[in-house]
Amino acid sequence: AQSVTQLDSHVSVSEGTPVLLRCNYSSSYSPSLFWYVQHPNKGLQLLLKYTSAATLVKGINGFEAEFKKSETSFHLTKPSAHMSDAAEYFCVVSSLSGGYNKLIFGAGTRLAVHP
Amino acid sequence: KAGVTQTPRYLIKTRGQQVTLSCSPISGHRSVSWYQQTPGQGLQFLFEYFSETQRNKGNFPGRFSGRQFSNSRSEMNVSTLELGDSALYLCASSLPRENSYNEQFFGPGTRLTVL
């Protein structure tokens, strides 16, 4: 079975400082992994995805994530936080069930950005 | 191209009532998935429909049901509402590719409050 664990429920950073949101996964085979962002009262937006190509994945808005199989991790980073980055972030693994995928979400990390 | 639309955006019901939520996928997308988001349980997969057939189902009671129409629009129904059904219900659409990851695009959700 596949699962993801987001190691921090809340992360607080100052504007202009780096962001690190941590995610560990569990999967019995090579996983597809994603990061989604959810702004207040909005739906989920895909930030980036890993599907067994390059291990360093670049996404939108300056975010990137590195797939590390040896550490079963898929941490999300951004060099410099912006106020507009304040949101909830979800690490997600795709589960192939019956040949078709469904998404399994982590519990989420709420990112606060202070001036 | 228009995104995924969900109606209504907000809904207030009382215990014991039933409710129907609607989702219109992105044009050309034939797979529709539903998710429930609550503060306690996070984001959980409800079910997925493709070509008017349910092909994937999460661990929810039979009070939760859905259907898909020939134009790919989907509805989900919750009967005999309970207080715990209060949640944000998200719909996502995707192109159906068997045995591979399908990027899912989310709507803004329907916020259901059960009193």
Side-chain angles (χ1 to χ4, degrees):
Chain A
Q2 291 74 43
S3 66
V4 288
T5 301
Q6 293 184 244
L7 301 172
D8 308 290
S9 58
H10 291 84
V11 170
S12 181
V13 301
S14 298
E15 190 175 21
T17 64
V19 175
L20 170 64
L21 305 183
R22 298 181 296 164
C23 172
N24 286 349
Y25 71 89
S26 173
S27 178
S28 52
Y29 53 84
S30 183
S32 292
L33 292 160
F34 319 91
W35 278 97
Y36 279 83
V37 61
Q38 186 177 36
H39 288 93
N41 299 315
K42 296 283 184 66
L44 291 156
Q45 181 183 22
L46 180 66
L47 275 178
L48 48 81
K49 61 185 177 186
Y50 166 77
T51 53
S52 73
T55 56
L56 182 61
V57 182
K58 293 188 184 299
I60 62 172
N61 300 335
F63 284 94
E64 62 182 38
E66 186 171 8
F67 174 75
K68 292 187 176 180
K69 186 175 181 179
S70 60
E71 299 176 12
T72 61
S73 69
F74 190 58
H75 301 334
L76 181 71
T77 60
K78 183 174 181 177
S80 176
H82 191 273
M83 295 296 290
S84 61
D85 294 329
E88 187 147 25
Y89 292 78
F90 294 93
C91 183
V92 182
V93 65
S94 178
S95 166
L96 273 179
S97 173
Y100 303 98
N101 73 292
K102 69 178 183 182
L103 300 182
I104 298 171
F105 287 79
T109 297
R110 187 165 297 279
L111 175 66
V113 182
H114 302 289
Chain B
K1 188 182 272 192
V4 178
T5 58
Q6 293 187 245
T7 56
R9 291 292 311 277
Y10 301 91
L11 206 49
I12 299 175
K13 293 285 187 179
T14 56
R15 278 181 296 176
Q17 288 187 309
Q18 74 164 15
V19 67
T20 299
L21 313 181
S22 180
C23 171
S24 292
I26 291 171
S27 178
H29 286 192
R30 295 168 60 198
S31 170
V32 174
S33 298
W34 288 89
Y35 295 82
Q36 182 197 62
Q37 185 177 23
T38 61
Q41 300 298 317
L43 272 151
Q44 294 184 286
F45 172 78
L46 277 157
F47 29 64
E48 181 201 7
Y49 285 86
F50 170 66
S51 289
E52 304 177 61
T53 301
Q54 186 185 90
R55 66 179 186 184
N56 228 339
K57 189 176 189 304
N59 295 326
F60 278 82
R63 301 185 297 107
F64 291 82
S65 63
R67 59 178 175 168
Q68 187 179 34
F69 302 94
S70 58
N71 61 359
S72 296
R73 188 177 70 86
S74 177
E75 290 180 347
M76 68 162 282
N77 184 78
V78 188
S79 62
T80 320
L81 283 166
E82 302 176 359
L83 294 179
D85 297 333
S86 294
L88 181 67
Y89 289 89
L90 292 163
C91 164
S93 75
S94 64
L95 291 168
R97 283 189 293 270
E98 189 172 346
N99 288 326
S100 73
Y101 164 66
N102 304 303
E103 180 172 342
Q104 298 193 18
F105 297 84
F106 284 82
T110 294
R111 171 85 52 194
L112 171 65
T113 301
V114 181
L115 303 176

